Amino acid sequence: MNTEHPHPATQAFPAMRAEEIPPGVQEVILPNGERALAYSTGPTNPPPTPAAPAAPTAQPIPAWAKTTALLAPTLGGGIAVAAVGLSAAAPGLVAVSHVLWSTVAAIATGGIVAAAVIGRVRARITAAQRPHITQHITATGLFGRANGTINHR
């Protein structure tokens, strides 16, 4: 490489301040690390001017957001309390379910026994009150007229 006569593009220039760079020109760093000025082919954006930051304005919070924020811990707490209550009551719930099944079985057995007893008592009552009916029928000849008596006792 010839170091006596440097290439004109690689000559060292004093660094320009940002205010001195004309619009449409920007300072770029080349892959070999050198800094160079280049024309921009895209739209030019003026450099941002330092301005006083705008004071943030308070935005009102929507009512649904307030309601949701207030209900979320309540709902979560309710679920947690219900879970603790069910875990504490689990043995009692098992015992209650056994008692309920026993009660249902006793009621069903009692109903079957009651139906059988009522049926027998009813049969005895109706047998005692049932009238005894007798018929006496007589007829003479093959096509004779039949006569008869019916007795209720």
Side-chain angles (χ1 to χ4, degrees):
M1 190 176 217
N2 188 359
T3 57
E4 295 177 8
H5 299 288
H7 190 274
T10 61
Q11 292 178 356
F13 294 104
M16 294 179 73
R17 293 189 316 240
E19 302 89 36
E20 297 175 344
I21 298 176
V25 177
Q26 59 185 1
E27 185 178 14
V28 295
I29 299 176
L30 299 175
N32 63 0
E34 293 182 37
R35 300 177 111 187
L37 295 177
Y39 285 101
S40 174
T41 58
T44 60
N45 294 331
T49 57
T57 58
Q59 297 291 330
I61 298 174
W64 65 267
K66 289 179 185 178
T67 305
T68 304
L70 291 173
L71 287 179
T74 305
L75 182 63
I79 291 172
V81 168
V84 169
L86 283 176
S87 68
L93 291 175
V94 170
V96 168
S97 70
H98 288 302
V99 169
L100 287 175
W101 280 114
S102 300
T103 304
V104 168
I107 290 172
T109 305
I112 293 171
V113 169
V117 168
I118 290 173
R120 286 188 179 193
V121 169
R122 191 173 179 195
R124 285 184 185 170
I125 291 173
T126 55
Q129 293 177 349
R130 195 177 304 155
H132 186 70
I133 299 172
T134 56
Q135 293 181 348
H136 183 66
I137 299 171
T138 57
T140 55
L142 183 61
F143 296 106
R145 188 170 184 165
N147 291 323
T149 58
I150 298 177
N151 296 320
H152 295 279
R153 295 186 211 172

